[in-house]
Amino acid sequence: MSPTILVVDDEPPIRKLLRMGLATQGYAIVEAPNAAAALEALGRGPVDLILLDLGLPDMGGHDLLRAIRASHPDLPVVVLSSRDDEGGKVEALDLGADDYVTKPFGMAELLARLRAAMRHQLAARGERPVFRVDGLSVDLVRRIVKRDDAEVKLTPREYDFLRVLVLHAGKVLTHAQLMHSVPASSDPQYLRVYIRQLRQKLETDPERPRILLTETGVGYRLRAPDDEPTLRPRPVNGARPHTTETTN
Amino acid sequence: MPEAGRDPNRPSPDALLEAARREERTRGRLKVFLGAAPGVGKTYEMLTIGRARLKAGTDVVVGVVETHGRAETEALLDGFETIPRRTVPYHGTLLQEMDLDALLARRPALALVDELAHTNAPGSRHPKRYQDVEELLDAGIDVLTTLNIQHVESLNDVVASITRIRVRETVPDGVLDRADDIEVVDLNPDDLIQRLKDGKVYVPTNAERALKHYFSRGNLTALRELALRRTADRVDDELLGHMRANAIAGPWAAGERVLVCVNEDQSASGLVRYAKRLADRLHAPWTALVIEGARAASLREAERDRIAEALRLADRLGGDAVTLPGGRRIADDVLDYARSANVNHIIVGKASRSWLFALVNGSVVHDLVRLSGNISVHVVRGEAVPDERQPRRAVPVAAPRSGLDVRPYGIAMAAIAAGLGAAILAQPYAGVENADLFLLTAVVAVAVRWGLGPALAAVVAASLAYNFFFLPPVYTLTIADPTNVAAFLLFTLVAVLVSNLASRARRVAVVSQGRARATERLFGFSRKLAACGTLDDVLWATCAQVAAMLKVRVVLLLPDGQAVTVRAGYPPEDMLDEADLAAAQWAFDNDRPAGRGADTLPGAKRLFLPMRTGRGTIGVIGLDADGTGPILTPEGRRLLDALADMGALAIERVRLVEDLDRAERAAETDRLRQALLTSISHDLRTPLASVLGAASTLRDLDSALDGTAKADLLSTIIEESERLNRFIVNLLDMTRLEAGAVAPNLSAQDAGEIVDTALRRTQAVLAGHRVAVDVAPDLPALALDPVLFEQVLVNLLDNAAKYAPAGSTVTVRALHAGAALRITVLDEGDGLPEGDVERVFDKFYRVRKSDRVRAGTGLGLAIARGFVEAMGGTVTAGNRPDRPGAVFTVTLPVPAGTAPKEIAA
């Protein structure tokens, strides 16, 4: 049975776009133009993911999010935010949203985020003991981390951070969520440093990371296996793809 | 006025300006119907013209028309819209005045206002109707008005001398000169007299006898000639203006200059007016000259006031006012000045002194005529102006310090005693004959030091002493020898003459010193004012100077809208009480003194005097002193006038400069706003056009397109939409910066991390370039707003991609240099033109490039700078030292004591 996605957005053109795009992936769509309709739709039938626009007319997106989380603590929610609303994004994520997409967005990026958000559900239906992406493999059961088949030694704290990111692979985690998940780290400064340490040990080019990605102003994201490395359309017309040279 | 030496065949800039100003104007046009006498038909003519304009469709309204009961005039009023008059109660009666506010509210195209010289009832906004008319003209309303020739200020005394009636209501020449049209309503004197007999002329009921003389044939002819000649002069001026504007060579007088000698005589003001008329006729500049000679110190206050008033009149009428200290004969001083200033006409008043006076003091007129050489001397009988016609002197001034100062007389006696003692002591050696020289020395000393009075007393004492002590028989007051009598008389005579001379010399010296001191201080004040740049400086300097020179407490009030408020004071004062404020307001509104000691509101604590410039009253100065009685001496009053005039001019100057600045800033703001609108309009439409075009092509021509073409068009849509998104981001950022709404959310950040995210965001833009990244490891953490900083780097990278050719390398470097972190973005384009290195950060600035550059808003760098500065850093631009290309450097301070943290495992 294909997953059902509840689209909550007050602008008809956006809803239409989402309906068409999501339908190509085989999702079933339920639309709600405002918060009241969204809550009503939630009550009516099973929903596997909510795509929520933060700028709703009748109730603030955050209030609706609280309401959803109150009744459905595990339901994946991806919020749609506008560019200037940094604070709103972070607040939504801290309130329990799983990920965010900034308008205007590309469809590929949106689909990747939806997949990542639902992975938790999907993973429950099948065992995936070893996480692999782009040369990195993480065995959560045996606590072994390998980079290109060579084992990498991580400190306990570093491993804890990596584990949280792997469990939420493909989804963004805010600074607050990361700090919260790894106990006994009090200073936000340390987060940055741990991420840098991880990049040093796990990335081919620590300065241009491809696995442990920064979400500016929000937090960090571990790339999921089926995500594009850069999540944007490829250039056409024979333009050369960018190359990175490091001079040291 | 022509300037000597200017090429007469070039159009005069002033004339051109005047002509241009007449072309484009928002001020209403003023047409004056000028008549020689009442009853010639000015009002009738005005109404006739007005009626014609009304018929032609102009919006004509009658402001005020005096019909004086004449039926034919009343008939003409029929059909006009008339503004009802305002009733003003005054001393028990009700006066009807023109309702200026109603007329302004009605705002017709043309208003008819009769009797320009009329004085409004007290309590009206302006004291005179011509000021009401000025306000109407300023509001853009054209005005027709009427005026009799005797109301013109500079002709006032001429008319008075002709008709024996001095008219009190005058209109300044300036108003008439600025009028756009003057029409002389002329009537043959015989016809006018006939009209008077027929009862068609308005006659005030209590002036019949006087008017009978007024309406004599001789008078009317003279008045008629005055009116005609005045209009002819004006036409002449207009012709000259036209000729000058078009550089038509004409017979204008080259290099004439007029000088009028002003003294304390009652005719001084009349002479000044005569000088103006002569100077106008000759188209020459003119000067009023006062010589302060030996007699200056002994002038009475009324006489001093007359001189000051004459000088101010000269100033008002457009001449120069010069005061010089006297040295020798007055005539010599005058001629010295005249020759040095290239004067060729001197006007002097006919002497009205007694022959004895002329014998003692010399006759200036006589000397001038004799010594003038080739300068023309006009000896003119000026019209004596009785002193009560000085309304501004309404403030009583302190009586000059009078009374006998006994001390010098005592000292004189002591000096004589000393001289006597010396004479007696020296008697064995010098002999009796020389005793008188000792006494004479004492007399001279007293005269030089203390003036004529004590000197004469000393002469009496010395004579008596000489007689008593030295002339036989000694110790008596009789003289035995007749030759000794002669000696005695001679001694006395010589002593008197010498003391006279000495005291006169002293007087001149005192006057000169006083004048020099005053001039020095005024000059110092003038320099101080010239150095003042802001209004507050000027106000402060004026208050301080007035307080210091006059020993009073000063406040200065300037208008704020319609009401005056305190702007400066010495000692500093902020608040005035109700009574003072009311007095200040009244003084400002009515251009007359008010407050303590004046006619109006005498209960106030301070005396308020209006400050005037050529453009009108610009403020009020308030004075306060301890003690009762008048605050200022007459000398002080004159000094205050001078200081207040200087202060007013400086205030006006500063205001004009501020107006200029404001106009320039407004123009600049407009320019930026215009540029913004143009930029937005263009830069938003262009990508939208591509998107629309591509999408509609895909839809409408779907069958004709193959897969590659479709993919291409789809890429266009995506790329152009992303470009549009970037523009909008730029505009929003710029708006936030302008509104001051950028509040950076600072937290410890890794600059290298942000470089990475910025590069990821600009991947598409940099798709055609090589990107080199050189970020030093272990950069210290900085307090940054990650979102703002990422945008800064994105803007710099976008900029580099725009101006660097495809295939070239864009380099990003980040390194820790001492107390700062430096991030540089380098490209391999053409670099920045010299001189534009700073200007690239200006809004909307784009470097001119020959080949087509991908368009941008021109805001990216300005935004980058704004954001970086909000975070406490700097952005600079320059050219690369190693190869052609631009380099942009972001420098951020590193707080002391930060280092990459080590972590416990």
Side-chain angles (χ1 to χ4, degrees):
Chain A
M1 196 191 68
S2 52
T4 310
I5 298 187
L6 170 60
V7 173
V8 187
D9 193 311
D10 58 324
E11 297 201 17
I14 305 278
R15 288 204 302 274
K16 178 162 148 194
L17 172 69
L18 289 170
R19 181 179 35 201
M20 288 169 41
L22 298 177
T24 64
Q25 302 294 303
Y27 296 118
I29 309 299
V30 176
E31 294 182 35
N34 53 45
L39 289 170
E40 195 200 340
L42 256 188
R44 260 187 285 139
V47 168
D48 294 298
L49 180 139
I50 301 182
L51 194 48
L52 168 60
D53 176 27
L54 284 180
L56 288 177
D58 52 348
M59 195 197 279
H62 298 95
D63 293 325
L64 178 58
L65 187 52
R66 275 195 207 98
I68 294 171
R69 276 285 168 260
S71 52
H72 299 75
D74 289 324
L75 187 54
V77 176
V78 174
V79 295
L80 292 174
S81 69
S82 63
R83 176 199 169 241
D84 289 323
D85 194 13
E86 291 305 324
K89 259 190 297 213
V90 176
E91 193 189 337
L93 291 168
D94 285 337
L95 278 176
D98 292 82
D99 213 328
Y100 72 95
V101 176
T102 313
K103 290 193 280 196
F105 52 82
M107 192 53 71
E109 189 184 343
L110 173 70
L111 291 173
R113 304 278 164 100
L114 293 182
R115 276 198 299 275
M118 285 191 289
R119 201 187 314 281
H120 200 66
Q121 314 284 66
L122 301 171
R125 298 170 200 164
E127 279 292 320
R128 292 245 243 156
V130 178
F131 172 84
R132 278 179 226 279
V133 65
D134 197 24
L136 172 71
S137 78
V138 180
D139 187 335
L140 289 176
V141 173
R142 292 189 291 161
R143 296 174 73 97
I144 297 179
V145 177
K146 288 192 195 158
R147 163 92 226 161
D148 295 326
D149 291 329
E151 186 164 346
V152 178
K153 274 270 165 263
L154 298 180
T155 70
R157 241 0 106 60
E158 288 170 359
Y159 179 79
D160 286 338
F161 271 117
L162 184 59
R163 181 171 167 280
V164 171
L165 286 163
V166 165
L167 283 178
H168 294 82
K171 291 198 312 184
V172 68
L173 289 169
T174 64
H175 300 292
Q177 285 169 343
L178 279 168
M179 301 299 304
H180 186 68
S181 311
V182 179
S185 62
S186 47
D187 193 339
Q189 294 254 45
Y190 281 112
L191 177 58
R192 235 179 2 89
V193 174
Y194 282 125
I195 296 292
R196 206 213 319 250
Q197 304 282 89
L198 280 172
R199 280 176 175 154
Q200 295 279 21
K201 291 186 179 173
L202 302 178
E203 294 273 2
T204 329
D205 179 2
E207 297 301 328
R208 309 296 311 279
R210 293 160 59 86
I211 305 172
L212 284 166
L213 305 172
T214 310
E215 295 284 319
T216 313
V218 179
Y220 295 97
R221 184 197 304 275
L222 184 75
R223 211 178 93 213
D226 53 353
D227 286 346
E228 293 292 336
T230 52
L231 299 178
R232 51 161 299 284
R234 282 201 203 82
V236 291
N237 295 343
R240 262 203 301 255
H242 83 286
T243 58
T244 306
E245 309 162 41
T246 45
T247 54
N248 248 350
Chain B
M1 295 173 202
E3 301 132 41
R6 205 169 55 72
D7 177 10
N9 291 320
R10 269 187 39 232
S12 149
D14 290 322
L16 278 173
L17 198 59
E18 182 61 38
R21 250 188 286 127
R22 276 175 190 262
E23 293 299 312
E24 41 123 68
R25 49 188 308 164
T26 52
R27 202 163 184 264
R29 293 181 68 84
L30 175 65
K31 176 163 178 155
V32 177
F33 292 89
L34 188 64
V40 296
K42 303 180 294 296
T43 312
Y44 191 89
E45 185 69 18
M46 176 177 80
L47 286 172
T48 311
I49 300 286
R51 182 170 280 274
R53 296 278 295 270
L54 184 66
K55 254 211 198 97
T58 317
D59 180 17
V60 183
V61 158
V62 167
V64 57
V65 164
E66 312 280 358
T67 62
H68 302 305
R70 274 172 269 183
E72 44 197 21
T73 320
E74 294 232 9
L76 268 183
L77 263 183
D78 203 16
F80 278 108
E81 180 188 334
T82 310
I83 303 285
R85 301 221 203 158
R86 221 160 49 95
T87 320
V88 179
Y90 179 68
H91 286 176
T93 55
L94 290 175
L95 298 177
Q96 305 270 5
E97 293 293 352
M98 177 174 80
D99 195 345
L100 177 61
D101 287 315
L103 190 50
L104 281 171
R106 171 68 177 74
R107 208 168 271 272
L110 174 63
L112 305 185
V113 176
D114 209 356
E115 292 185 13
L116 189 63
H118 175 80
T119 308
N120 290 330
S124 312
R125 178 141 81 240
H126 302 285
K128 307 284 280 176
R129 187 172 286 164
Y130 73 80
Q131 291 166 322
D132 292 339
V133 168
E134 293 269 323
E135 204 175 318
L136 289 172
L137 293 172
D138 282 339
I141 303 174
D142 292 344
V143 175
L144 300 183
T145 188
T146 63
L147 184 66
N148 279 335
I149 193 68
Q150 69 261 35
H151 295 299
V152 178
E153 172 142 13
S154 68
L155 296 174
N156 189 279
D157 46 352
V158 173
V159 170
S161 70
I162 295 173
T163 64
R164 304 268 184 278
I165 300 170
R166 177 171 295 279
V167 169
R168 300 222 175 260
E169 299 180 322
T170 59
V171 171
D173 291 49
V175 177
L176 199 58
D177 287 338
R178 277 198 298 274
D180 297 281
D181 265 324
I182 300 185
E183 184 173 315
V184 175
V185 181
D186 190 31
L187 193 61
N188 193 296
D190 291 325
D191 294 337
L192 183 55
I193 293 170
Q194 186 61 41
R195 285 187 56 143
L196 178 67
K197 292 208 180 93
D198 292 343
K200 287 187 183 167
V201 177
Y202 168 63
V203 169
T205 43
N206 49 1
E208 285 171 24
R209 200 161 41 90
L211 273 178
K212 245 218 221 115
H213 175 78
Y214 193 94
F215 278 83
S216 72
R217 200 162 185 290
N219 268 4
L220 290 175
T221 310
L223 288 174
R224 188 181 178 215
E225 180 181 322
L226 258 185
L228 287 172
R229 188 183 308 170
R230 182 56 186 254
T231 315
D233 278 348
R234 189 204 153 86
V235 171
D236 203 21
D237 276 340
E238 285 181 6
L239 177 63
L240 274 179
H242 169 79
M243 288 170 86
R244 281 212 202 102
N246 295 297
I248 302 171
W252 32 71
E256 300 257 15
R257 239 192 141 85
V258 174
L259 176 69
V260 55
C261 298
V262 171
N263 61 9
E264 74 279 10
D265 203 50
Q266 283 190 332
S267 61
S269 297
L271 283 180
V272 168
R273 291 208 186 86
Y274 180 91
K276 167 148 173 83
R277 290 199 294 278
L278 178 64
D280 279 352
R281 203 157 299 137
L282 295 174
H283 305 290
W286 61 285
T287 310
L289 176 65
V290 173
I291 302 283
E292 270 194 351
R295 287 179 40 247
S298 57
L299 289 178
R300 284 171 300 157
E301 287 314 323
E303 294 171 329
R304 273 192 239 253
D305 281 348
R306 259 182 240 140
I307 294 180
E309 184 54 31
L311 289 179
R312 296 189 93 189
L313 179 63
D315 218 7
R316 269 209 307 274
L317 291 178
D320 292 326
V322 173
T323 311
L324 292 177
R328 306 165 287 150
R329 272 186 307 195
I330 292 185
D332 290 326
D333 295 327
V334 170
L335 287 170
D336 274 345
Y337 177 80
R339 292 209 179 89
S340 72
N342 283 330
V343 166
N344 31 28
H345 296 269
I346 298 181
I347 299 170
V348 67
K350 218 172 224 232
S352 54
R353 312 234 190 252
S354 63
W355 63 270
L356 184 62
F357 183 96
L359 194 66
V360 173
N361 286 325
S363 163
V364 173
V365 176
H366 187 81
D367 293 334
L368 269 180
V369 170
R370 219 162 33 85
L371 299 169
S372 58
N374 54 2
I375 302 179
S376 312
V377 176
H378 306 243
V379 180
V380 171
R381 174 34 146 286
E383 180 65 27
V385 177
D387 278 333
E388 67 266 15
R389 192 180 163 256
Q390 308 281 10
R392 282 191 306 109
R393 303 285 163 214
V395 183
V397 288
R401 205 166 33 95
S402 65
L404 227 46
D405 192 1
V406 187
R407 224 173 47 106
Y409 291 89
I411 296 179
M413 295 303 124
I416 296 300
L420 183 63
I424 294 176
L425 283 173
Q427 208 174 9
Y429 310 101
V432 161
E433 310 81 51
N434 296 322
D436 53 352
L437 294 173
F438 286 93
L439 292 169
L440 201 56
T441 312
V443 166
V444 170
V446 170
V448 166
R449 185 64 186 84
W450 279 288
L452 192 58
L456 289 177
V459 167
V460 169
S463 303
L464 290 174
Y466 185 49
N467 189 347
F468 196 78
F469 284 99
F470 295 101
L471 292 180
V474 184
Y475 301 116
T476 66
L477 283 177
T478 54
I479 308 175
D481 193 340
T483 52
N484 281 349
V485 172
F488 174 74
L489 288 173
L490 270 170
F491 170 76
T492 312
L493 189 66
V494 167
V496 166
L497 282 172
V498 163
S499 57
N500 204 22
L501 280 170
S503 61
R504 185 186 291 194
R506 174 184 162 273
R507 265 208 302 265
V508 169
V510 163
V511 165
S512 292
Q513 269 175 8
R515 165 67 42 182
R517 244 199 329 266
T519 306
E520 179 63 43
R521 293 171 90 174
L522 285 178
F523 178 60
F525 182 45
S526 163
R527 257 193 320 200
K528 219 186 300 177
L529 279 183
C532 289
T534 66
L535 184 62
D536 283 335
D537 286 345
V538 167
L539 295 176
W540 167 255
T542 309
C543 284
Q545 189 78 10
V546 171
M549 283 180 96
L550 297 174
K551 314 267 186 299
V552 294
R553 293 191 287 275
V554 184
V555 287
L556 255 178
L557 298 97
L558 292 181
D560 186 7
Q562 271 300 97
V564 287
T565 53
V566 179
R567 296 295 293 272
Y570 190 91
E573 188 76 58
D574 247 5
M575 302 287 300
L576 296 183
D577 59 16
E578 290 276 341
D580 277 11
L581 268 176
Q585 188 67 43
W586 193 93
F588 178 74
D589 292 334
N590 295 278
D591 200 22
R592 297 254 300 276
R596 169 176 162 179
D599 283 344
T600 315
L601 298 171
K605 204 161 49 120
R606 294 179 180 78
L607 170 65
F608 292 96
L609 303 161
M611 293 170 71
R612 282 184 219 87
T613 64
R615 297 164 109 211
T617 313
I618 61 129
V620 174
I621 188 166
L623 305 176
D624 186 17
D626 296 325
T628 53
I631 297 180
L632 293 173
T633 64
E635 175 76 30
R637 180 63 204 270
R638 285 187 287 271
L639 189 57
L640 176 69
D641 282 340
L643 291 171
D645 282 348
M646 290 165 79
L649 278 174
I651 291 174
E652 192 177 63
R653 169 179 62 82
V654 168
R655 283 252 173 85
L656 287 174
V657 167
E658 280 177 5
D659 282 346
L660 203 62
D661 273 346
R662 215 173 305 139
E664 280 174 3
R665 263 182 283 134
E668 181 63 20
T669 311
D670 265 346
R671 190 192 72 76
L672 278 179
R673 198 172 300 143
Q674 196 54 43
L676 176 63
L677 287 174
T678 315
S679 174
I680 293 176
S681 167
H682 173 78
D683 295 324
L684 290 180
R685 289 232 194 87
T686 313
L688 270 179
S690 306
V691 166
L692 263 177
S696 56
T697 306
L698 280 168
R699 180 187 66 177
D700 299 332
L701 304 175
D702 175 65
S703 47
L705 295 167
D706 67 353
T708 324
K710 286 190 198 168
D712 201 357
L713 286 171
L714 287 168
S715 302
T716 302
I717 292 177
I718 292 178
E719 276 163 18
E720 290 299 284
S721 301
E722 285 180 343
R723 180 169 140 204
L724 193 53
N725 190 29
R726 279 198 300 278
F727 283 170
I728 294 176
V729 163
N730 260 1
L731 285 176
L732 288 176
D733 281 345
M734 201 69 230
T735 312
R736 276 165 59 201
L737 268 177
E738 293 282 279
V742 172
N745 216 339
L746 300 174
S747 57
Q749 296 292 331
D750 184 357
E753 193 172 40
I754 302 182
V755 168
D756 171 52
T757 54
L759 281 168
R760 268 199 291 148
R761 259 179 70 188
T762 49
Q763 234 170 342
V765 177
L766 287 168
H769 297 80
R770 303 163 78 84
V771 177
V773 181
D774 178 12
V775 173
D778 299 334
L779 290 173
L782 292 180
L784 291 176
D785 182 318
V787 178
L788 293 184
F789 192 61
E790 188 186 275
Q791 190 61 43
V792 169
L793 292 176
V794 162
N795 285 0
L796 290 178
L797 289 167
D798 192 44
N799 195 65
K802 237 185 285 189
Y803 289 98
S808 64
T809 309
V810 172
T811 315
V812 184
R813 255 185 227 136
L815 51 91
H816 181 189
L821 195 97
R822 234 179 310 163
I823 298 159
T824 46
V825 174
L826 307 100
D827 65 56
E828 288 176 344
D830 291 337
L832 303 167
E834 282 313 310
D836 279 353
V837 160
E838 268 303 303
R839 289 188 58 203
V840 285
F841 292 104
D842 287 346
K843 287 184 278 210
F844 306 115
Y845 179 85
R846 288 175 233 195
V847 171
R848 299 270 162 274
K849 272 196 68 138
S850 44
D851 43 338
R852 210 183 71 82
V853 168
R854 191 159 54 80
T857 51
L859 291 174
L861 289 177
I863 291 169
R865 181 171 256 186
F867 281 172
V868 167
E869 284 177 358
M871 291 187 281
T874 57
V875 185
T876 52
N879 285 312
R880 294 176 73 152
D882 52 343
R883 68 191 86 164
V887 51
F888 289 85
T889 312
V890 178
T891 313
L892 293 155
V894 176
T898 52
K901 286 192 162 51
E902 292 295 331
I903 341 164

